[in-house]
Amino acid sequence: MKRTILSLSAVTAALAAVTGVAAVAAPGDTGPTVPASATRLPVQRSTLVCPAPSSSEVAETTYTAFAPPGASAGADTKKGTAQLLPTGTVADSHGNPAGKGGKDAKGGKGAKDKGGADSGGTQTVPPPDTKPVVPLQQAGKPVLGTTDSADAPALTGSADGALAPGWTVQQTTAIAAGLGRGLQGLSCTAPDTQFWFPGVSTATGRTDYVHLTNPDPVPAVVDLEMRGKDGALTDSGGGEDITVPPHTTVPVLLSTLTTSPADGAALHVSVRSGRIGAAVQAADAKTGGDWLPPAADPSPGAVLPGIPADATDVQLVAVAPGDADADLKVQLATPTGLITPAGLDTLHVKSGMTATVDLKDITKGEPGSLVLTPGDGGSTAPIAAALRVVRGKGDNQEMAFIPATRPIEARGTVADNRAKGSTLTLVAPQKGKDAKVRITASAGSGGGTPVSKTYTVKGGTSLAVQPPQPSGLKGSYALTVEPEPGSGPVHAARILALPQGGVPAFTVQPLPDDRGSVLVPTAGQDLSLLTR
């Protein structure tokens, strides 16, 4: 009897608790209801990871942080925090470099650390200090920080409150000379558990590092796998079980993962536990260097926006990570429509392998974007893809990368736009589905009034424009791209060109959706759970 009384009491208590919660969630309801449709709400917290910019003694890096105004509906834009903090660096047994202290992004000097990789294991070099980098005080106005230190650390940080939706940080490094010279740019990435990097190389003359950065207080365990035109390239066990300690970064030289030099390869980063931010820094003895950000998740098609009009050499690398081969239709979206490059009706990518195509000077003096769609055979095998783009000739060449990019659903944001040198490329990849977008130039970091302008991109075309600039611009500014309701799908990228003497130095940053909002289901009472 006692057990029965206790059970009934427990059920009564549970019923009271559930109905109490339901009453709060849905006052006035008296019976079970079906949850209503989801509501789109601003995110409450964002996390970003910026890799160590450069070990060059002749490099200068600018960090630009920005949060769009009004992204947190109804909130006071002065509430919330957004900042980055330096991380430690792991020197590993492959001989990858470790940071040794240095100046932070505001010029403060950190203590020197004589530690490094020993011959038998790893050593973590702590960050020089914990001084915040480019902290935001309000939305709508960029904040800048600079460093010329060869020991500048990787950065991790978060934004909350009104500054979380759309928070973005651009890392732009100008390297005057040496390996990787030119302009290297990257929109700092959000941590995740899977990344694909088509376009990496271990060929002679290339030096590619993948930077693995852990923003969290628990270790992350990572596997690295490389694939080439004949399949797996990674030596057995060479890229497995890489531990990234809390709040540290681990740079891995890709040539240590395989004994066979390979161009046109693809790197897969898979996180077993935890999460990381990942980006590849590529340096070439002839064509300079840049960051290769992760490509959009594998899918049956891909859009790669932002090929400059004066590109002298374009290389496409695609990988089919699944169990089936992929057949792709390759088209160039020009200002007037979609065209098929001569001699390239379709591209066949074998399962688990890469396919590389030299598209040469495909744009022929007009800006464009590459559009990959399933071939006429109806292939639905997923692929990941990226472009290596070269401008200039002879000793005055510079390269950049364009990964496949997700469409902008609600808003895309890119920081560090200058009075000269910024070009925004918009592509509406589907014929007959025009895209109408609103582009807003923020206030300048040193002053200026925001302005907005609306553009229409015809379906199946690519549009390259000089973006609007804030009136009275001082410093640099940010751009936000917002498709209008009912608009066709649109993808975007920003080209930043800052010539260095005779070198046409440039970098390309894609603008995927900034994921500043999420769909939250509307909850309601459902007492039927007590009978399940």
Side-chain angles (χ1 to χ4, degrees):
M1 175 66 71
K2 187 175 182 181
R3 285 195 299 269
T4 303
I5 294 173
L6 288 175
S7 297
L8 289 174
S9 300
V11 169
T12 303
L15 181 61
V18 172
T19 53
V21 172
V24 172
D29 291 345
T30 58
T33 58
V34 178
S37 59
T39 302
R40 184 170 288 276
L41 297 175
V43 299
Q44 297 179 359
R45 185 178 179 86
S46 298
T47 301
L48 291 177
V49 170
C50 305
S54 175
S55 59
S56 172
E57 296 286 349
V58 289
E60 183 169 346
T61 299
T62 300
Y63 297 98
T64 309
F66 176 76
S72 184
D76 184 348
T77 58
K78 292 184 179 180
K79 294 181 179 179
T81 60
Q83 64 183 26
L84 297 163
L85 295 172
T87 70
T89 302
V90 170
D92 67 16
S93 57
H94 293 306
N96 297 316
K100 298 180 181 179
K103 293 182 283 184
D104 65 18
K106 289 195 174 182
K109 293 184 178 180
K112 292 288 183 178
D113 189 316
K114 297 181 180 180
D118 60 32
S119 59
T122 63
Q123 182 174 355
T124 300
V125 179
D129 56 46
T130 56
K131 188 176 182 181
V133 176
V134 286
L136 279 179
Q137 302 298 322
Q138 62 180 11
K141 183 178 180 180
V143 173
L144 305 184
T146 61
T147 179
D148 59 3
S149 172
D151 298 322
L155 306 173
T156 65
S158 62
D160 57 29
L163 299 178
W167 180 51
T168 185
V169 179
Q170 169 77 14
Q171 174 179 296
T172 307
T173 303
I175 303 177
L179 185 66
R181 61 96 180 96
L183 194 65
Q184 300 188 9
L186 180 71
S187 293
C188 297
T189 58
D192 208 338
T193 57
Q194 297 281 340
F195 304 89
W196 278 99
F197 296 95
V200 300
S201 176
T202 59
T204 303
R206 272 278 290 270
T207 303
D208 287 16
Y209 280 91
V210 60
H211 291 245
L212 311 172
T213 307
N214 182 359
D216 296 325
V218 295
V221 179
V222 181
D223 290 339
L224 302 179
E225 178 193 15
M226 289 184 63
R227 300 186 187 182
K229 60 183 180 65
D230 297 318
L233 293 172
T234 312
D235 291 342
S236 178
E240 296 180 354
D241 293 327
I242 298 173
T243 298
V244 186
H247 304 299
T248 62
T249 187
V250 176
V252 179
L253 181 62
L254 297 190
S255 61
T256 64
L257 303 179
T258 176
T259 57
S260 303
D263 196 19
L267 172 69
H268 182 212
V269 179
S270 178
V271 184
R272 292 190 186 186
S273 63
R275 60 176 187 162
I276 61 164
V280 171
Q281 189 174 36
D284 187 275
K286 185 177 180 181
T287 56
D290 207 345
W291 289 98
L292 171 58
D297 292 339
S299 65
V303 178
L304 302 95
I307 306 174
D310 61 351
T312 53
D313 186 64
V314 178
Q315 182 189 69
L316 167 66
V317 178
V319 59
D323 297 328
D325 294 358
D327 289 297
L328 301 170
K329 186 176 183 180
V330 182
Q331 293 179 296
L332 180 70
T334 71
T336 55
L338 292 166
I339 63 172
T340 300
L344 189 61
D345 293 333
T346 59
L347 175 65
H348 183 72
V349 189
K350 293 182 180 180
S351 170
M353 304 180 189
T354 64
T356 303
V357 181
D358 188 358
L359 300 172
K360 301 180 180 179
D361 56 341
I362 185 174
T363 53
K364 303 295 183 183
E366 286 188 327
S369 303
L370 205 66
V371 179
L372 307 178
T373 53
D376 295 335
S379 169
T380 58
I383 58 100
L387 298 173
R388 187 201 66 188
V389 178
V390 176
R391 296 175 67 216
K393 295 181 179 179
D395 294 333
N396 293 324
Q397 296 184 67
E398 165 75 329
M399 73 174 180
F401 295 94
I402 303 174
T405 305
R406 301 189 312 271
I408 299 175
E409 297 175 6
R411 183 187 58 230
T413 306
V414 65
D416 196 11
N417 297 280
R418 315 288 177 94
K420 294 182 179 180
S422 293
T423 302
L424 185 66
T425 298
L426 305 167
V427 56
Q430 295 185 16
K431 238 179 175 183
K433 292 189 176 181
D434 297 354
K436 192 173 184 180
V437 299
R438 182 171 181 262
I439 299 175
T440 301
S442 75
S445 57
T449 304
V451 297
S452 296
K453 189 174 181 179
T454 299
Y455 295 85
T456 299
V457 187
K458 288 188 175 182
T461 70
S462 186
L463 175 66
V465 298
Q466 301 302 311
Q469 295 185 7
S471 58
L473 171 64
K474 294 182 180 179
S476 66
Y477 64 101
L479 288 170
T480 57
V481 179
E482 299 170 285
E484 295 196 354
S487 170
V490 63
H491 303 246
R494 190 277 311 272
I495 302 171
L496 180 61
L498 301 175
Q500 299 177 356
V503 177
F506 77 115
T507 183
V508 182
Q509 277 71 59
L511 275 75
D513 191 88
D514 64 19
R515 294 178 174 174
S517 61
V518 292
L519 289 174
V520 180
T522 302
Q525 63 180 353
D526 183 4
L527 303 185
S528 64
L529 64 89
L530 297 176
T531 63
R532 295 174 187 170

